[in-house]
Amino acid sequence: MIRRNGLDICLLGFLIFSAGCVPISKTIPISGSPDDLPGCYALFPSKPWESVHRIEATLRGGGSFSMVGVTKGEPSERQLQSLLLTAEGFILFDAERRNSRITVRKAVPPFDSPAFAKGLMEDVALLFLPPQAKPTSWRRDANGAMICNWEGPEDPHTEITGSTDSGWQILQRDKQGQVIKEVALSGPFVNGLASRMELRASKPASYRLRMTLVQPSP
Amino acid sequence: MKKFLFLSIFVTTGLLYGAAALCQDWTSLKEASRNIRSVQAEFLQKRYLRILTKPLLSQGKLFFYAPDSIRWEYLTPLRSVTLQKGETIQIYNFSDGVWKPEMAQAIESRRMVLAEISQWFQGRFDESKGFKHFYSPGPPARVVMVPGEGINRFVRRIEIVLSVRPGVIDRVEIEEPEGSRTSIEFRNVEINSNFSPHVFEKP
């Protein structure tokens, strides 16, 4: 009996770990009503905003650290400014993204590589800016949740599903259809900003960012 | 000519009187600070950044025991603690439910800052290695610390605003060259109260 229980636990463990490896199936919605289209943008702030987040970063291998993230956005200009600070308030990183051009104002080691700046600002854009083009397909399901797809020849494929009530999910896939970044946003939403966000990246680097909104404004 | 002579005597007398008063206050401050054995306080830090319309707020606690034991702890938005006991400095950050020690490189950069803070709480502003001090009797009395070459790349000026309670610091204002500034207000300050010495050893 004890052996049987042990076997069950092993099987359960195997199933849990296996579940983590199952690729997330691609949702292909049919084109929806034009009235539903604004729903694809509902998770992104539409007016100028600024925020302070507590960020807990976990890297592959188990290393983790915490920082304060300060972000300011101007959605109509597709402009973002992002700062990383220590608990004391020392600025480790300060960069701006205007359209797709990144300008680094300050970067202290180990945050001073161009690859870090590009990766960080891409993550910030994924969290706060919708893809620039119109979705290639969208629909609202029976529960009122939106399912939106952006699929272009150049950019990564982006899928957005959910609602402000149930929370949102953003998936970014490479050209082979594999998920490279996965974001979960949950409420309550304050001034259009999610209280909690979790970003899991698997390619090219594997890491997880957990962000808690501590100071929304204005 | 007489007029200028009178004016000159008036100004000189005034300056001498002012200097004597200033000297008196400075001596009182030093005297009061000499009696400080320990300080325990809460603090509210306001970080004014150009990017934010409202300051970034952080709250924490401070423990100091003369001459060189400090616990500087942030409670929000990040939990982080810097501990100094004599020559030993430790920094821990709370992440994923546990306290994690900071890298040695980060510790060394805090050594000078902690040495400065220790001196401020003992009224030893004139012993600073990196700053020149200027005392203004107020009210409120203030000590302005102006950094020397090198440090002035990071800090433009520090102003320490003193409480009417002798030897107690009310507020510290730190100005940076690019326009950002930080204000740290101390609250519920307890002087020479008793607390466990372990606060300087473990997070």
Side-chain angles (χ1 to χ4, degrees), chain A residues 105-123:
Chain A
R105 293 199 174 106
K106 181 179 180 179
V108 172
F111 306 103
D112 56 342
S113 73
F116 175 82
K118 184 174 180 286
L120 180 89
M121 296 313 284
E122 277 177 3
D123 285 350

Side-chain angles (χ1 to χ4, degrees), chain A residues 50-52 54-56 58 62-68 70-72 81-83 85-91 208 210 214-218, chain B residues 45 47 49-58 72 74 77-80 82 91 93-97 100 103 105 110 154 176 178 180 182:
Chain A
E50 54 190 55
S51 65
V52 179
R54 181 173 62 242
I55 303 172
E56 288 177 278
T58 308
S64 67
F65 52 93
S66 302
M67 287 169 294
V68 175
V70 176
T71 317
K72 185 176 185 173
Q81 189 184 349
S82 198
L83 272 70
L85 299 100
T86 64
E88 294 98 329
F90 180 72
I91 299 170
R208 184 185 70 189
R210 279 189 300 186
V214 290
Q215 214 174 290
S217 53
Chain B
Q45 180 177 299
R47 183 89 167 90
L49 298 164
R50 280 186 179 175
I51 182 175
L52 289 174
T53 46
K54 289 180 188 171
L56 166 59
L57 304 178
S58 309
W72 186 274
Y74 288 93
L78 291 186
R79 284 189 74 190
S80 170
T82 301
I91 302 171
N93 297 308
F94 195 78
S95 181
D96 274 343
K100 294 182 178 175
M103 294 180 295
Q105 189 187 358
R110 291 345 192 261
F154 308 101
E176 292 166 45
E178 77 272 21
S180 299
T182 303

Side-chain angles (χ1 to χ4, degrees), chain B residues 32 112 116 155 180:
Chain B
M112 196 199 83
E116 288 291 329
V155 177
S180 299

Side-chain angles (χ1 to χ4, degrees), chain A residues 27-32 40 134-139 147-150:
Chain A
T27 315
I28 305 168
I30 51 165
S31 285
C40 293
K134 188 181 164 186
T136 42
S137 58
W138 70 93
R139 73 178 170 90
I147 302 162
C148 309
N149 264 300
W150 282 262

Side-chain angles (χ1 to χ4, degrees), chain A residues 87-88, chain B residues 40-45 58-64 70-84 90-94 99 114 117 184-186 198-203:
Chain A
E88 294 98 329
Chain B
Q40 184 178 341
E42 295 165 5
F43 64 82
L44 173 66
Q45 180 177 299
S58 309
Q59 287 180 295
K61 282 183 184 174
L62 156 81
F63 294 86
F64 169 74
I70 296 178
R71 180 187 178 98
W72 186 274
E73 181 175 10
Y74 288 93
L75 301 170
T76 61
L78 291 186
R79 284 189 74 190
S80 170
V81 63
T82 301
L83 307 170
Q84 180 176 27
Q90 304 173 81
I91 302 171
Y92 292 90
N93 297 308
F94 195 78
W99 286 104
L114 292 169
I117 294 170
I184 304 171
E185 297 168 16
F186 294 97
H198 296 305
V199 298
F200 304 113
E201 293 164 6
K202 292 175 185 171

Side-chain angles (χ1 to χ4, degrees), chain A residues 11-153:
Chain A
L11 279 170
L12 183 67
F14 178 74
L15 283 171
I16 290 168
F17 282 107
S18 306
C21 309
V22 172
I24 299 165
S25 63
K26 212 167 172 177
T27 315
I28 305 168
I30 51 165
S31 285
S33 139
D35 293 345
D36 288 335
L37 185 58
C40 293
Y41 300 93
L43 71 162
F44 300 107
S46 56
K47 292 178 181 169
W49 55 275
E50 54 190 55
S51 65
V52 179
H53 287 90
R54 181 173 62 242
I55 303 172
E56 288 177 278
T58 308
L59 309 175
R60 188 172 58 183
S64 67
F65 52 93
S66 302
M67 287 169 294
V68 175
V70 176
T71 317
K72 185 176 185 173
E74 176 58 73
S76 63
E77 302 286 323
R78 294 189 65 79
Q79 191 179 329
L80 294 164
Q81 189 184 349
S82 198
L83 272 70
L84 294 177
L85 299 100
T86 64
E88 294 98 329
F90 180 72
I91 299 170
L92 299 166
F93 180 85
D94 178 358
E96 189 179 67
R97 184 184 192 273
R98 196 183 285 255
N99 289 314
S100 294
R101 195 174 163 204
I102 297 165
T103 310
V104 178
R105 293 199 174 106
K106 181 179 180 179
V108 172
F111 306 103
D112 56 342
S113 73
F116 175 82
K118 184 174 180 286
L120 180 89
M121 296 313 284
E122 277 177 3
D123 285 350
V124 175
L126 179 68
L127 294 168
F128 298 109
L129 289 178
Q132 206 158 0
K134 188 181 164 186
T136 42
S137 58
W138 70 93
R139 73 178 170 90
R140 191 181 290 275
D141 73 8
N143 299 317
M146 289 303 303
I147 302 162
C148 309
N149 264 300
W150 282 262
E151 201 163 2

